[in-house]
Amino acid sequence: LISEPMAAAIVADLPIEEPIGNMVVDIGGGTTEVAVISLGGIVVHESMRIAGDEMDQAIQEYAKKHFDLEISQAAAERLKIAIGSAAPVDEPLEPVKVRGFNVAKRLPDEIEMTPEDVRKALNGPVEAIVGIVLRTLERTRPELCDDLATRGIVLTGGGALLRGLDVRIQEATGIPVRVCDDPLTAVVRGTGKYVEYKAKHRHKLS
């Protein structure tokens, strides 16, 4: 029906019909999509298969490499939500215990991972997300970049909930970054608004 960045832009109340640049970064489970929107259409679009799932896998790989512990993706996701971050945060976060299978001992085992452990684990996917934002900006016309420098970048999708991701992107781009309200459901809500608008418009035409 509609692209995910466009749906997110609608629910974020961005002036997408106006001749100004708006940027949306949608970080879902399987993909990250970045779009610059103007005059009701997508002007520049980038997509990659690195998002929330890859963050979980990065935590799994870190636990195995540094602690010899194989943990489930569900456990990795719990760690990401509980103490994960893309940059140092002021929020006090305590280490979290996680159970798995110790490949060295060949026995079930439990370890404690710190917020710093999880931040290090997430650095690869986070850097990839920052990189796709920078690539999109490089392809954006100067006049639209001027708009973005003033209006900022909007993050949406479940991955936008990662602590400090907005700070990390803002530091890399020099552009203000904000997380839209309830980013996990933004695309669904935006699609619903779009469908309602199209239905009303069709009714008026008939």
Side-chain angles (χ1 to χ4, degrees), residues 8 26-27 155-161 179-189:
D26 178 49
I27 308 157
L155 303 186
T156 186
L161 293 169
V179 179
C180 78
D181 295 333
D182 193 8
L184 193 61
T185 64
V187 169
V188 174
R189 289 183 290 124

Side-chain angles (χ1 to χ4, degrees), residues 23-184:
M23 178 179 274
V24 175
V25 181
D26 178 49
I27 308 157
T31 60
T32 295
E33 293 191 61
V34 185
V36 176
I37 301 168
S38 183
L39 289 172
I42 293 178
V43 181
V44 184
H45 177 262
E46 288 274 352
S47 178
M48 68 176 180
R49 292 190 175 278
I50 297 177
D53 293 345
E54 282 67 26
M55 292 182 188
D56 299 339
Q57 291 169 16
I59 294 172
Q60 288 179 283
E61 291 168 4
Y62 186 94
K64 186 173 182 179
K65 179 179 179 181
H66 294 273
F67 298 99
D68 292 326
L69 194 75
E70 289 184 341
I71 63 174
S72 68
Q73 184 170 355
E77 185 178 28
R78 287 194 294 271
L79 283 167
K80 179 182 66 179
I81 293 170
I83 58 174
S85 67
V89 294
D90 295 332
E91 178 185 352
L93 300 172
E94 298 296 327
V96 172
K97 292 181 179 179
V98 59
R99 294 194 63 83
F101 183 79
N102 191 305
V103 294
K105 299 176 182 177
R106 293 188 172 277
L107 290 169
D109 199 3
E110 182 180 74
I111 61 166
E112 194 173 73
M113 288 187 72
T114 66
E116 185 178 1
D117 285 326
V118 180
R119 186 167 65 250
K120 287 179 180 178
L122 293 172
N123 190 59
V126 168
E127 279 292 309
I129 292 169
V130 171
I132 194 174
V133 173
L134 292 172
R135 288 198 301 276
T136 305
L137 287 171
E138 289 173 0
R139 295 179 53 208
T140 303
R141 298 197 306 268
E143 63 271 21
L144 295 181
C145 280
D146 287 344
D147 295 332
L148 298 178
T150 303
R151 301 187 55 77
I153 298 169
V154 176
L155 303 186
T156 186
L161 293 169
L162 181 66
R163 300 171 186 84
L165 184 58
D166 53 345
V167 174
R168 188 80 171 264
I169 294 174
Q170 184 165 318
E171 288 177 348
T173 62
I175 296 174
V177 179
R178 69 179 176 91
V179 179
C180 78
D181 295 333
D182 193 8
L184 193 61

